Amino acid sequence: QLWLAGDEENLDTYRSGEDPYLPPAARIFGCEVSEVCKDRRRVGKIAVLACSYGGGRGAVSRFASSGVGVDPSRIVEGFRDAHPSLAGEAIPGRVWVPEDDPDAPPVQCRRGGYWKALWFAWTKCAESAQLGQPCRVPLPRGASYHTDGDGDVWLTLPSGRPVRYRGARRETLPGESEPTWVVRSRGGSKKIWKGLLAENITQATCRDLLADALLPVEAAGLRVLLHVHDELVVEGYHLETLMKLCRTAPVWASGLPLDCAGSEGTVWSR
C-alpha cells in the first residue's frame, strides 16, 4: 500500500531492512526508534495490522483482545501520524467525535491522504455510473477507477488487470439511518468505504505480484506444484533460484521493494 500511495519515506524502511513495526511504535510512545523495546514493538505491530486499511479503535481492540495497556485511540492516531501519505496530514486544532460512540476520545481531523483519494475517485465514478455517464479518475502508479455509465465501477490495477464493482448505488442498509454506497455481491449488498477500497487495491496488487512471479519461475524450469495466498511451492531443491526470481519486481511495479523467505523439505508445511 505504501508503494501504491507513493510513500517513499516509509518505503525506505523496507529497503533498508529495518523492522517496519518500530517507526509506528516510536511515534505512538513518543520515543526514538532505538528506544522501542519488545512490548512497545508489539504495540507497533498491532497498529500496522489493525490500522493499515483505515481501521480505528474497534479494529485495534479486535487485534489486541487481551489488551496492551495503551488506549486504542493513541495507537490509531500514532499510526496515522506516522503515515500521512495514507491517512492524511493532521489539521491542528480540529477534531471530531464519532456519533455512535460519544464517550470515545476525539478523533484528529486530517487533510488529504491515499484513503481519501481512493474514496473521492470511486464515489465520483459511482455517481457518474448512476447518471449513465462515463468517467475516469486516475490514481498513482498507473491505476484508475472508471465507469462506462452502465452502473458498474471498474478499478484498473497497476498491472493493467481490471476489477469490477457491480451495481454501484446508494442504499440504506439494515441498522443504518442514512443511505450509503454499496455494490452487488453474492451475499446481497456490500457496503463500500475507503478502508475496503484500500484493502481491495492492495490485496489485488499483491495477487498480481504472485501471478507475475509464476512466469519467470516456470521459464527457469522450476515445476510449480501449488501456490497458497502469498506462497509458492516448487518441486526440487531450488530455493536460492526461487527466492532470487521472487525478489525481482515486474516492470509495472518498478521501485517496489520485494523480499521473501523460504525453506526446503520433503513435505510442504506452513
Side-chain angles (χ1 to χ4, degrees), residues 227-265:
H227 48 90
V228 182
H229 300 300
D230 59 353
E231 184 173 0
L232 287 178
V233 179
V234 303
E235 186 176 43
Y237 294 92
H238 309 290
L239 182 58
E240 184 176 340
T241 300
L242 179 63
M243 293 179 65
K244 180 179 179 180
L245 292 169
C246 290
R247 286 178 175 138
T248 303
V251 174
W252 56 265
S254 176
L256 173 62
L258 293 178
D259 199 3
C260 59
S263 61
E264 295 179 331

Short mmCIF file of all heavy atoms in Angstrom, two decimals, residues 227-265:
data_model
loop_
_atom_site.label_atom_id
_atom_site.label_comp_id
_atom_site.label_asym_id
_atom_site.label_seq_id
_atom_site.Cartn_x
_atom_site.Cartn_y
_atom_site.Cartn_z
N HIS A 227 0.33 -22.94 -5.29
CA HIS A 227 0.56 -21.65 -4.64
C HIS A 227 -0.62 -21.37 -3.72
O HIS A 227 -1.77 -21.61 -4.07
CB HIS A 227 0.77 -20.52 -5.65
CG HIS A 227 -0.22 -20.45 -6.75
ND1 HIS A 227 -1.40 -19.71 -6.66
CD2 HIS A 227 -0.23 -21.01 -7.98
CE1 HIS A 227 -2.08 -19.82 -7.79
NE2 HIS A 227 -1.39 -20.61 -8.62
N VAL A 228 -0.32 -20.90 -2.52
CA VAL A 228 -1.32 -20.65 -1.48
C VAL A 228 -1.13 -19.23 -0.96
O VAL A 228 -0.10 -18.92 -0.37
CB VAL A 228 -1.17 -21.66 -0.32
CG1 VAL A 228 -2.25 -21.41 0.73
CG2 VAL A 228 -1.22 -23.09 -0.83
N HIS A 229 -2.11 -18.37 -1.21
CA HIS A 229 -2.04 -16.97 -0.77
C HIS A 229 -0.77 -16.31 -1.31
O HIS A 229 -0.70 -15.95 -2.47
CB HIS A 229 -2.15 -16.88 0.76
CG HIS A 229 -3.41 -17.45 1.30
ND1 HIS A 229 -4.65 -16.97 0.95
CD2 HIS A 229 -3.65 -18.46 2.18
CE1 HIS A 229 -5.59 -17.65 1.57
NE2 HIS A 229 -5.01 -18.57 2.32
N ASP A 230 0.25 -16.15 -0.47
CA ASP A 230 1.48 -15.48 -0.90
C ASP A 230 2.66 -16.45 -0.96
O ASP A 230 3.81 -16.05 -0.86
CB ASP A 230 1.82 -14.33 0.05
CG ASP A 230 1.99 -14.80 1.49
OD1 ASP A 230 1.73 -15.98 1.77
OD2 ASP A 230 2.38 -13.98 2.34
N GLU A 231 2.38 -17.72 -1.17
CA GLU A 231 3.43 -18.74 -1.13
C GLU A 231 3.45 -19.58 -2.39
O GLU A 231 2.40 -19.96 -2.92
CB GLU A 231 3.21 -19.64 0.09
CG GLU A 231 4.30 -20.67 0.31
CD GLU A 231 4.11 -21.42 1.61
OE1 GLU A 231 3.13 -21.13 2.33
OE2 GLU A 231 4.94 -22.31 1.91
N LEU A 232 4.66 -19.87 -2.87
CA LEU A 232 4.87 -20.77 -4.00
C LEU A 232 5.55 -22.05 -3.52
O LEU A 232 6.47 -21.99 -2.69
CB LEU A 232 5.76 -20.11 -5.05
CG LEU A 232 5.19 -18.99 -5.93
CD1 LEU A 232 6.28 -18.49 -6.85
CD2 LEU A 232 4.01 -19.47 -6.71
N VAL A 233 5.12 -23.16 -4.04
CA VAL A 233 5.76 -24.44 -3.73
C VAL A 233 6.21 -25.06 -5.05
O VAL A 233 5.41 -25.26 -5.97
CB VAL A 233 4.78 -25.41 -3.02
CG1 VAL A 233 5.47 -26.74 -2.74
CG2 VAL A 233 4.27 -24.79 -1.73
N VAL A 234 7.53 -25.33 -5.16
CA VAL A 234 8.07 -25.92 -6.38
C VAL A 234 8.71 -27.27 -6.04
O VAL A 234 9.08 -27.54 -4.89
CB VAL A 234 9.11 -25.01 -7.07
CG1 VAL A 234 8.50 -23.66 -7.39
CG2 VAL A 234 10.34 -24.84 -6.20
N GLU A 235 8.85 -28.08 -7.04
CA GLU A 235 9.45 -29.40 -6.87
C GLU A 235 10.96 -29.31 -7.01
O GLU A 235 11.48 -28.68 -7.94
CB GLU A 235 8.89 -30.37 -7.91
CG GLU A 235 9.34 -31.81 -7.72
CD GLU A 235 8.67 -32.74 -8.72
OE1 GLU A 235 8.58 -32.36 -9.90
OE2 GLU A 235 8.24 -33.83 -8.32
N GLY A 236 11.68 -29.93 -6.09
CA GLY A 236 13.14 -29.94 -6.17
C GLY A 236 13.77 -28.94 -5.23
O GLY A 236 13.09 -28.11 -4.61
N TYR A 237 15.08 -29.01 -5.13
CA TYR A 237 15.83 -28.13 -4.22
C TYR A 237 16.38 -26.94 -5.02
O TYR A 237 17.51 -26.96 -5.50
CB TYR A 237 16.94 -28.93 -3.53
CG TYR A 237 16.40 -29.98 -2.60
CD1 TYR A 237 16.18 -31.29 -3.05
CD2 TYR A 237 16.09 -29.66 -1.29
CE1 TYR A 237 15.66 -32.25 -2.19
CE2 TYR A 237 15.57 -30.63 -0.41
CZ TYR A 237 15.35 -31.91 -0.88
OH TYR A 237 14.84 -32.85 -0.03
N HIS A 238 15.54 -25.90 -5.15
CA HIS A 238 15.90 -24.73 -5.95
C HIS A 238 15.63 -23.44 -5.18
O HIS A 238 15.23 -22.43 -5.75
CB HIS A 238 15.09 -24.71 -7.25
CG HIS A 238 15.11 -25.98 -8.03
ND1 HIS A 238 16.24 -26.42 -8.69
CD2 HIS A 238 14.16 -26.93 -8.24
CE1 HIS A 238 15.98 -27.56 -9.29
NE2 HIS A 238 14.73 -27.89 -9.03
N LEU A 239 15.82 -23.45 -3.86
CA LEU A 239 15.41 -22.33 -3.02
C LEU A 239 16.10 -21.03 -3.41
O LEU A 239 15.45 -19.98 -3.53
CB LEU A 239 15.70 -22.65 -1.55
CG LEU A 239 15.27 -21.56 -0.55
CD1 LEU A 239 13.78 -21.28 -0.67
CD2 LEU A 239 15.63 -21.98 0.87
N GLU A 240 17.40 -21.07 -3.64
CA GLU A 240 18.13 -19.84 -3.96
C GLU A 240 17.62 -19.23 -5.26
O GLU A 240 17.40 -18.01 -5.35
CB GLU A 240 19.63 -20.14 -4.06
CG GLU A 240 20.48 -18.89 -4.29
CD GLU A 240 21.96 -19.18 -4.28
OE1 GLU A 240 22.36 -20.24 -3.75
OE2 GLU A 240 22.72 -18.36 -4.82
N THR A 241 17.43 -20.05 -6.29
CA THR A 241 16.91 -19.56 -7.57
C THR A 241 15.50 -19.01 -7.41
O THR A 241 15.16 -17.95 -7.94
CB THR A 241 16.91 -20.69 -8.61
OG1 THR A 241 18.24 -21.16 -8.80
CG2 THR A 241 16.35 -20.18 -9.93
N LEU A 242 14.68 -19.73 -6.68
CA LEU A 242 13.29 -19.31 -6.48
C LEU A 242 13.21 -17.96 -5.78
O LEU A 242 12.46 -17.07 -6.20
CB LEU A 242 12.55 -20.37 -5.66
CG LEU A 242 11.08 -20.08 -5.35
CD1 LEU A 242 10.27 -20.00 -6.62
CD2 LEU A 242 10.51 -21.15 -4.43
N MET A 243 13.98 -17.79 -4.73
CA MET A 243 13.94 -16.54 -3.98
C MET A 243 14.47 -15.36 -4.80
O MET A 243 13.95 -14.25 -4.73
CB MET A 243 14.73 -16.69 -2.67
CG MET A 243 14.08 -17.66 -1.70
SD MET A 243 15.01 -17.87 -0.16
CE MET A 243 14.88 -16.24 0.55
N LYS A 244 15.48 -15.62 -5.62
CA LYS A 244 16.00 -14.56 -6.48
C LYS A 244 14.94 -14.10 -7.47
O LYS A 244 14.78 -12.89 -7.71
CB LYS A 244 17.24 -15.06 -7.22
CG LYS A 244 17.86 -14.01 -8.14
CD LYS A 244 19.11 -14.56 -8.84
CE LYS A 244 19.71 -13.51 -9.77
NZ LYS A 244 20.92 -14.04 -10.45
N LEU A 245 14.21 -15.03 -8.05
CA LEU A 245 13.17 -14.68 -9.01
C LEU A 245 12.02 -13.93 -8.33
O LEU A 245 11.48 -12.98 -8.89
CB LEU A 245 12.65 -15.94 -9.69
CG LEU A 245 13.64 -16.66 -10.62
CD1 LEU A 245 13.09 -18.02 -11.02
CD2 LEU A 245 13.91 -15.80 -11.86
N CYS A 246 11.63 -14.36 -7.14
CA CYS A 246 10.51 -13.74 -6.45
C CYS A 246 10.85 -12.36 -5.89
O CYS A 246 9.94 -11.57 -5.59
CB CYS A 246 10.03 -14.64 -5.31
SG CYS A 246 9.19 -16.15 -5.88
N ARG A 247 12.14 -12.06 -5.75
CA ARG A 247 12.54 -10.74 -5.27
C ARG A 247 12.67 -9.72 -6.41
O ARG A 247 12.97 -8.56 -6.16
CB ARG A 247 13.88 -10.84 -4.54
CG ARG A 247 13.78 -11.48 -3.17
CD ARG A 247 15.14 -11.59 -2.52
NE ARG A 247 15.03 -12.09 -1.15
CZ ARG A 247 15.85 -12.98 -0.62
NH1 ARG A 247 16.85 -13.49 -1.35
NH2 ARG A 247 15.70 -13.36 0.64
N THR A 248 12.44 -10.16 -7.63
CA THR A 248 12.54 -9.27 -8.79
C THR A 248 11.16 -8.75 -9.14
O THR A 248 10.26 -9.51 -9.50
CB THR A 248 13.13 -10.02 -9.99
OG1 THR A 248 14.41 -10.57 -9.64
CG2 THR A 248 13.29 -9.08 -11.18
N ALA A 249 10.98 -7.43 -9.02
CA ALA A 249 9.68 -6.82 -9.29
C ALA A 249 9.39 -6.81 -10.78
O ALA A 249 10.31 -6.61 -11.60
CB ALA A 249 9.63 -5.40 -8.73
N PRO A 250 8.14 -7.02 -11.18
CA PRO A 250 7.79 -6.91 -12.60
C PRO A 250 7.93 -5.47 -13.08
O PRO A 250 8.03 -4.54 -12.27
CB PRO A 250 6.32 -7.38 -12.63
CG PRO A 250 5.82 -7.18 -11.24
CD PRO A 250 6.99 -7.39 -10.34
N VAL A 251 7.91 -5.28 -14.38
CA VAL A 251 8.11 -3.95 -14.97
C VAL A 251 7.10 -2.95 -14.43
O VAL A 251 7.45 -1.79 -14.14
CB VAL A 251 8.03 -4.03 -16.51
CG1 VAL A 251 8.09 -2.64 -17.11
CG2 VAL A 251 9.15 -4.90 -17.06
N TRP A 252 5.85 -3.35 -14.29
CA TRP A 252 4.81 -2.41 -13.85
C TRP A 252 4.95 -2.02 -12.38
O TRP A 252 4.31 -1.06 -11.92
CB TRP A 252 3.41 -2.98 -14.10
CG TRP A 252 3.14 -4.32 -13.48
CD1 TRP A 252 3.25 -5.55 -14.06
CD2 TRP A 252 2.69 -4.56 -12.13
NE1 TRP A 252 2.91 -6.54 -13.18
CE2 TRP A 252 2.56 -5.97 -11.98
CE3 TRP A 252 2.39 -3.74 -11.05
CZ2 TRP A 252 2.15 -6.56 -10.79
CZ3 TRP A 252 1.98 -4.32 -9.85
CH2 TRP A 252 1.86 -5.71 -9.74
N ALA A 253 5.78 -2.74 -11.62
CA ALA A 253 5.96 -2.44 -10.20
C ALA A 253 7.36 -1.91 -9.92
O ALA A 253 7.95 -2.20 -8.87
CB ALA A 253 5.69 -3.68 -9.36
N SER A 254 7.90 -1.16 -10.84
CA SER A 254 9.24 -0.60 -10.68
C SER A 254 9.35 0.20 -9.38
O SER A 254 8.50 1.02 -9.07
CB SER A 254 9.58 0.29 -11.88
OG SER A 254 10.83 0.90 -11.72
N GLY A 255 10.41 -0.05 -8.63
CA GLY A 255 10.64 0.68 -7.39
C GLY A 255 10.02 0.04 -6.17
O GLY A 255 10.23 0.52 -5.05
N LEU A 256 9.27 -1.02 -6.36
CA LEU A 256 8.64 -1.70 -5.22
C LEU A 256 9.64 -2.66 -4.58
O LEU A 256 10.10 -3.60 -5.23
CB LEU A 256 7.40 -2.48 -5.67
CG LEU A 256 6.73 -3.38 -4.63
CD1 LEU A 256 6.24 -2.56 -3.45
CD2 LEU A 256 5.57 -4.16 -5.26
N PRO A 257 10.00 -2.45 -3.31
CA PRO A 257 10.93 -3.37 -2.66
C PRO A 257 10.25 -4.69 -2.32
O PRO A 257 9.24 -4.71 -1.61
CB PRO A 257 11.34 -2.61 -1.39
CG PRO A 257 10.20 -1.69 -1.11
CD PRO A 257 9.63 -1.32 -2.44
N LEU A 258 10.78 -5.78 -2.84
CA LEU A 258 10.21 -7.10 -2.59
C LEU A 258 11.22 -7.95 -1.83
O LEU A 258 12.42 -7.89 -2.09
CB LEU A 258 9.86 -7.80 -3.91
CG LEU A 258 8.73 -7.21 -4.74
CD1 LEU A 258 8.57 -8.00 -6.04
CD2 LEU A 258 7.43 -7.19 -3.96
N ASP A 259 10.71 -8.74 -0.91
CA ASP A 259 11.57 -9.68 -0.21
C ASP A 259 10.74 -10.94 0.07
O ASP A 259 9.51 -10.94 -0.06
CB ASP A 259 12.07 -9.10 1.11
CG ASP A 259 13.30 -9.83 1.63
OD1 ASP A 259 13.77 -10.76 0.94
OD2 ASP A 259 13.77 -9.49 2.73
N CYS A 260 11.41 -12.01 0.40
CA CYS A 260 10.70 -13.26 0.66
C CYS A 260 11.57 -14.13 1.55
O CYS A 260 12.75 -13.84 1.79
CB CYS A 260 10.37 -13.99 -0.65
SG CYS A 260 11.82 -14.39 -1.65
N ALA A 261 10.98 -15.16 2.06
CA ALA A 261 11.69 -16.16 2.86
C ALA A 261 11.26 -17.53 2.36
O ALA A 261 10.21 -17.67 1.72
CB ALA A 261 11.37 -15.99 4.34
N GLY A 262 12.05 -18.53 2.63
CA GLY A 262 11.69 -19.86 2.14
C GLY A 262 12.41 -20.95 2.89
O GLY A 262 13.27 -20.70 3.74
N SER A 263 12.04 -22.17 2.57
CA SER A 263 12.68 -23.33 3.19
C SER A 263 12.58 -24.52 2.24
O SER A 263 11.81 -24.48 1.27
CB SER A 263 12.00 -23.67 4.53
OG SER A 263 10.63 -24.01 4.32
N GLU A 264 13.36 -25.53 2.51
CA GLU A 264 13.35 -26.76 1.72
C GLU A 264 13.00 -27.93 2.61
O GLU A 264 13.32 -27.95 3.81
CB GLU A 264 14.71 -26.98 1.06
CG GLU A 264 15.07 -25.92 0.04
CD GLU A 264 16.45 -26.13 -0.58
OE1 GLU A 264 17.31 -26.72 0.11
OE2 GLU A 264 16.63 -25.71 -1.73
N GLY A 265 12.34 -28.93 2.04
CA GLY A 265 11.99 -30.10 2.82
C GLY A 265 11.35 -31.17 1.96
O GLY A 265 11.09 -30.95 0.75
#
